[in-house]
Amino acid sequence: VPEDADPSFWNPSIAAISTMQRADLILLNGAGFATWTTKASLPRSKIVNTSRGVEEQYIKTETVTHSHGADGEHSHTGTATYMWLDPELAILQAQAIAAAAEQRGLAEPADINARLGALTEDLQALDASATELTSVGAGQHLIATHPRYQYLARAYDLEISALEWDAGASPDAAQLSDLEQLVADTGAKVLVWEAEPSEEAREAVRAMGLSDVVFPTLATTPQGSDYLKSYATAVSDLTTALKNASE
C-alpha cells in the first residue's frame, strides 16, 4: 500500500494483485477492512482471514459514507475494522497467522511457536500497561478525529465520540465549528488525532481548551517505529492527557 494511501479503502493495481497472487500466504485482517479483496481474483487456497473465528467480537457500527479528498467516497461498512487496537484481539490474529504458517510449512514449527510466544508476551505487556486508561478515563469523554477507535474504547472502557476529519489535513472552519459543538455537548477535554496534525490545526484545537494526543491507527507501519513502540507511546501520551484533564 502506498505511504500516502489509506489501506482501508486502497484499490491495488493489476501489477500489485499479480504480486500478491504469487505469494505463499495472503493474510487478511477481516471484518470488512479491505473491501477490494471481495472483487479481486486471489487464490483462495492461499488466503487466511486472521479474524475468522472471532466474529462474535466484531463491533457493529452505523454505515456512513463520506469523502476522503482525492481518494473519493468511502463507506464504513457497518463493522468496526481496526481490531488490532485491542492487543488481546491482536494476539488472536497472531495465533491465526502462526497456525497458517505452520500448516503451510513456511518455517519450522519450533521457530514459529517461539516467535509467537515472544510476541504474545509483548502484546500482553502492552495490554497491561494500557489498563490504566480505564481508571484515568473514568467519567471522561474523548473526541477522535475519525471513527477508528471502537476496539480501543471497548477494551479500556473509554467513551469516544468521533468526527469525520481526513488524517493529517487541517480542519476548516465548519469542521472546527462541529468540534466546538461536540465539546459543548459532551464536556470532552481531550482530542485524539489519528495522524500528526499541522501546528495550525493543533493551535486551533488548543484554543478551545482541549488537550490533544496523536494515537496512530497503525494500519501502516509507523515511520521509524513499529506497532509495539507506537502503541506504547500513544497509550502513555493519552494517559497523561486524561490525568491532566481530570485535575
Side-chain angles (χ1 to χ4, degrees):
V1 181
E3 290 185 2
D4 60 348
D6 185 330
S8 64
F9 64 101
W10 169 70
N11 287 307
S13 64
I14 293 176
I17 292 176
S18 178
T19 299
M20 293 181 213
Q21 290 172 334
R22 295 193 299 271
D24 294 311
L25 190 59
I26 301 171
L27 301 170
L28 304 182
N29 181 67
F33 179 76
T35 56
W36 66 266
T37 59
T38 62
K39 306 167 188 174
S41 177
L42 297 174
R44 295 184 64 181
S45 62
K46 297 181 178 181
I47 293 176
V48 172
N49 182 337
T50 62
S51 62
R52 180 164 294 153
V54 296
E55 290 89 348
E56 73 281 357
Q57 297 196 53
Y58 286 174
I59 296 175
K60 299 301 179 183
T61 64
E62 293 182 8
T63 300
V64 177
T65 300
H66 56 91
S67 177
H68 279 270
D71 291 316
E73 286 194 341
H74 168 55
S75 294
H76 296 284
T77 60
T79 301
T81 59
Y82 286 64
M83 299 177 62
W84 58 86
L85 292 181
D86 177 350
E88 289 190 346
L89 292 180
I91 289 173
L92 297 178
Q93 291 184 292
Q95 291 172 347
I97 294 170
E102 183 172 348
Q103 182 181 17
R104 288 162 175 77
L106 300 183
E108 291 296 324
D111 291 339
I112 292 172
N113 290 329
R115 290 173 181 268
L116 175 62
L119 177 58
T120 299
E121 288 182 4
D122 286 340
L123 290 170
Q124 288 173 335
L126 201 62
D127 177 51
S129 68
T131 56
E132 188 178 3
L133 289 171
T134 302
S135 57
V136 298
Q140 296 201 57
H141 198 110
L142 291 81
I143 298 174
T145 58
H146 208 82
R148 290 179 170 168
Y149 299 94
Q150 295 92 339
Y151 293 101
L152 176 77
R154 183 178 68 182
Y156 305 112
D157 295 325
L158 300 173
E159 190 170 358
I160 304 177
S161 294
L163 299 162
E164 293 283 353
W165 293 2
D166 289 344
S170 292
D172 58 28
Q175 290 172 319
L176 289 173
S177 178
D178 290 340
L179 171 60
E180 194 168 21
Q181 183 60 55
L182 194 52
V183 169
D185 292 341
T186 64
K189 297 180 180 179
V190 177
L191 177 75
V192 178
W193 305 93
E194 64 172 315
E196 192 69 37
S198 67
E199 190 56 35
E200 179 185 10
R202 184 158 258 167
E203 288 177 0
V205 164
R206 289 175 176 173
M208 297 182 194
L210 290 168
S211 297
D212 62 319
V213 174
V214 177
F215 202 120
T217 56
L218 300 172
T220 57
T221 302
Q223 189 173 8
S225 187
D226 58 30
Y227 169 95
L228 293 168
K229 293 176 183 177
S230 293
Y231 196 107
T233 297
V235 165
S236 176
D237 291 345
L238 183 55
T239 300
T240 298
L242 289 168
K243 285 181 177 178
N244 292 339
S246 65
E247 293 178 352

